[in-house]
Amino acid sequence: EPEVTQTPSHQVTQMGQEVILRCVPISNHLYFYWYRQILGQKVEFLVSFYNNEISEKSEIFDDQFSVERPDGSNFTLKIRSTKLEDSAMYFCASSTGDSNQPQHFGDGTRLSIL
Amino acid sequence: AQSVAQPEDQVNVAEGNPLTVKCTYSVSGNPYLFWYVQYPNRGLQFLLKYITGDNLVKGSYGFEAEFNKSQTSFHLKKPSALVSDSALYFCAVKKSYNTDKLIFGTGTRLQVFP
């Protein structure tokens, strides 16, 4: 069964540094998403992306965050200047775009900011 | 505001016994409802969904869930629990229109004892 893959599985970065989290969505999916889960808290929506544009974003997704689909397979989340509170598990997801179809998630990247 | 509640942090059940993991939601209109499972160091794995139609939906690994509109609930059930069902379970909801954002509950840890 096709899967969403995320790299790296764990990223350790100094505060203030830029970080890029990478995702390869399922190949025939058209909608892509990022969610995050701070330790001990619920999974929170960050952003959705379709047709090379952000289609929806949450209040968490401020100017420090950006997303990109640099080629036909990758989908990236960039945090420009990381803060301690950005430490979390970041999940990428993809879907076909039919609103009644589920989003399929990757295994996540654990981001630790020092 | 839209929200999902999972009132139990942990559910303990003996192997072979039936299990129920509770979920209630607050979303305007007709929501789409989902259950996901998370095994250690893995992402969120889709279990089942309710979109419309029969209130009892069946999903992967013998799980099912019952949609109750009057009680705004979507409880996850399984007639006979297995030790391998032990994991973290998340209920999620999204509005049926104008958004792809999933709103998650806080998760319920299911522990099945041999």
Side-chain angles (χ1 to χ4, degrees):
Chain A
E1 186 175 327
E3 291 183 342
V4 175
T5 57
Q6 290 186 243
T7 55
S9 57
H10 192 189
Q11 174 80 46
V12 182
T13 302
Q14 291 287 333
M15 185 173 58
Q17 297 295 306
E18 175 184 285
V19 67
I20 298 176
L21 309 183
R22 302 181 191 278
C23 169
V24 179
I26 295 173
S27 62
N28 65 336
H29 284 185
L30 301 176
Y31 284 75
F32 315 115
Y33 313 87
W34 284 101
Y35 291 79
R36 80 172 185 191
Q37 184 181 28
I38 294 172
L39 187 64
Q41 299 185 23
K42 61 174 68 177
V43 177
E44 302 172 289
F45 170 81
L46 291 178
V47 66
S48 60
F49 190 86
Y50 169 71
N51 199 26
N52 282 320
E53 288 185 345
I54 290 174
S55 50
E56 188 175 0
K57 62 181 181 179
S58 71
E59 351 28 285
I60 303 167
F61 194 87
D62 61 22
D63 292 343
Q64 294 296 315
F65 291 89
S66 62
V67 288
E68 191 179 27
R69 188 154 163 83
D71 53 43
S73 58
N74 289 283
F75 178 53
T76 62
L77 174 69
K78 182 193 291 187
I79 309 175
R80 201 179 340 270
S81 176
T82 50
K83 302 187 279 281
L84 292 175
E85 54 265 37
D86 293 328
S87 296
M89 182 73 93
Y90 288 80
F91 292 107
C92 174
S94 69
S95 73
T96 61
D98 291 334
S99 61
N100 61 357
Q101 293 301 310
Q103 295 173 22
H104 294 269
F105 286 76
D107 285 344
T109 293
R110 182 168 297 284
L111 178 62
S112 300
I113 307 300
L114 305 180
Chain B
Q2 301 163 77
S3 64
V4 176
Q6 293 181 244
E8 302 150 319
D9 289 337
Q10 180 152 329
V11 169
N12 299 318
V13 65
E15 188 174 34
N17 282 0
L19 68 88
T20 299
V21 182
K22 296 179 181 176
C23 172
T24 59
Y25 64 90
S26 174
V27 172
S28 58
N30 296 316
Y32 293 166
L33 297 154
F34 304 85
W35 276 101
Y36 286 85
V37 60
Q38 186 179 32
Y39 296 101
N41 301 314
R42 299 298 306 275
L44 301 166
Q45 184 176 337
F46 169 71
L47 269 183
L48 51 76
K49 64 180 179 180
Y50 173 82
I51 303 299
T52 187
D54 194 350
N55 289 342
L56 185 66
V57 293
K58 295 186 183 298
S60 307
Y61 313 120
F63 283 93
E64 57 192 28
E66 187 164 13
F67 171 64
N68 187 318
K69 188 170 184 177
S70 62
Q71 296 185 3
T72 61
S73 66
F74 189 56
H75 300 331
L76 181 70
K77 302 182 180 189
K78 187 173 182 181
S80 179
L82 299 172
V83 172
S84 57
D85 292 331
S86 299
L88 194 54
Y89 290 81
F90 290 94
C91 180
V93 63
K94 80 177 193 72
K95 288 166 67 171
S96 56
Y97 58 92
N98 287 343
T99 181
D100 288 321
K101 175 173 71 175
L102 283 174
I103 300 165
F104 283 88
T106 50
T108 298
R109 185 165 301 282
L110 174 66
Q111 190 72 48
V112 182
F113 295 94

